Amino acid sequence: MDIKVNVRETDTETNIVELAGEIDVYTSPKVKDALGELIDRGVYNLVIDLEKVRYIDSTGLGVLIGGLKRVREHGGTVNLVCTNPQIKKIFDITGLVKIFGIYDSEDAAMKASV
Amino acid sequence: MTVPPPEQATAETVELRIPRKAEWVAVARLAVAAVASRMRFTIEEIEDVKLAVAEACTNAIQSADGADQIEILCETDHAHLRVTVANRRGVGAAIVAPPLAEDEVRIDGLGVFLIRSLMDDVEYAVDPESGSRLVMIKRLAS
């Protein structure tokens, strides 16, 4: 069990962070470090692609919330790409659907972050 | 609300003990998911149980009671899956709170909220002698 993090620059100020695997109490520090590194470099607009994430728990949600909090301090945004019903359900029941923009595709998330 | 034990006549039990370390939580959630999959739960319900167990183990890891192991007890019968997640404190284990960042405190609350949302009944107790214990039940649809 692991999490893979792949960061892609785009021709806009937004970077795409592709996550693949499972985000839990063991793997979430790796995601936190990756997001922290981007934000420290001044990247404040992020699209986080969760399409290849099979599982996320509250520590993973906490990392996403932490990232959002940091970019918002700089007027930035975090938009998510997620179509997995089980993962969307977790965002629904925690009310995080009201905090994050959640989109069905990277294109839609990118358009929303411009 | 009191969580009823499964009916003794048909109850079966699976026990697992893991080190109180983050890297072992996946083992616990997959083991309990395997138990749930032997019952008539839907895939979505099995995912609910898996997440609830992981949250309970994460809670145990982040708690401050000095336990060195986590015990997971699954009791099944024809109608329920009852999972108990308990911290097991070693002899002489120090009761020292790990430092938590502000975000982590809030995340801990989110985990408990998820457990309560995903399971049908939840009870939490802290015993100064034996450590903390969380009991949760998922009922099979009749």
Side-chain angles (χ1 to χ4, degrees):
Chain A
M1 185 201 65
D2 199 6
I3 185 76
K4 289 189 171 58
V5 182
N6 180 36
V7 179
R8 288 180 4 236
E9 291 183 2
T10 66
D11 53 8
T12 70
E13 289 180 355
T14 303
N15 278 22
I16 297 173
V17 182
E18 277 181 328
L19 302 176
E22 303 188 338
I23 312 175
D24 70 357
V25 64
Y26 182 54
T27 59
S28 59
K30 190 172 171 182
V31 179
K32 185 178 181 178
D33 289 349
L35 297 182
E37 200 175 298
L38 281 171
I39 297 164
D40 288 345
R41 276 180 18 217
V43 179
Y44 302 131
N45 290 301
L46 300 172
V47 165
I48 301 178
D49 188 337
L50 302 175
E51 284 297 83
K52 292 178 185 162
V53 171
R54 297 187 304 273
Y55 173 90
I56 188 166
D57 70 8
S58 65
T59 55
L61 297 179
V63 167
L64 298 180
I65 294 166
L68 178 65
K69 200 173 154 186
R70 283 196 63 196
V71 299
R72 276 190 176 167
E73 287 167 5
H74 302 276
T77 58
V78 174
N79 288 316
L80 307 178
V81 182
C82 179
T83 56
N84 179 326
Q86 189 64 27
I87 291 179
K88 282 179 94 171
K89 174 181 164 181
I90 297 164
F91 282 93
D92 271 331
I93 60 181
T94 53
L96 293 175
V97 282
K98 295 174 190 161
I99 294 172
F100 289 101
I102 301 180
Y103 299 90
D104 289 345
S105 68
E106 270 186 14
D107 281 350
M110 283 295 293
K111 277 178 193 160
S113 74
V114 174
Chain B
M1 183 175 180
T2 303
V3 178
E7 291 176 22
Q8 293 300 312
T10 56
E12 292 192 289
T13 299
V14 176
E15 288 181 75
L16 176 68
R17 187 180 297 171
I18 60 169
R20 186 167 163 257
K21 293 178 180 172
E23 58 264 43
W24 288 94
V25 171
V27 172
R29 71 169 183 258
L30 293 173
V32 179
V35 172
S37 69
R38 291 181 58 82
M39 304 172 72
R40 286 182 294 104
F41 288 115
T42 63
I43 290 171
E44 186 180 346
E45 287 167 335
I46 293 168
E47 289 296 320
D48 291 349
V49 170
K50 200 161 102 174
L51 180 54
V53 168
E55 295 296 349
C57 290
T58 299
N59 200 40
I61 288 169
Q62 292 175 339
S63 71
D65 76 350
D68 50 14
Q69 291 201 304
I70 302 170
E71 285 181 345
I72 299 107
L73 172 67
C74 302
E75 297 165 277
T76 68
D77 67 13
H78 65 284
H80 308 93
L81 169 61
R82 183 178 196 260
V83 184
T84 304
V85 177
N87 277 1
R88 185 180 176 84
R89 194 176 297 154
V91 175
I95 303 175
V96 179
L100 288 176
E102 191 182 322
D103 277 359
E104 287 174 307
V105 173
R106 191 184 58 229
I107 294 159
D108 184 43
L110 199 57
V112 172
F113 175 77
L114 278 170
I115 294 169
R116 292 193 183 282
S117 302
L118 298 171
M119 301 298 276
D120 293 316
D121 287 317
V122 181
E123 261 183 22
Y124 183 68
V126 179
D127 182 333
E129 295 299 317
S130 59
S132 62
R133 175 181 301 272
L134 193 143
V135 183
M136 48 198 166
I137 280 190
K138 191 81 168 171
R139 291 194 188 89
L140 281 164
S142 50

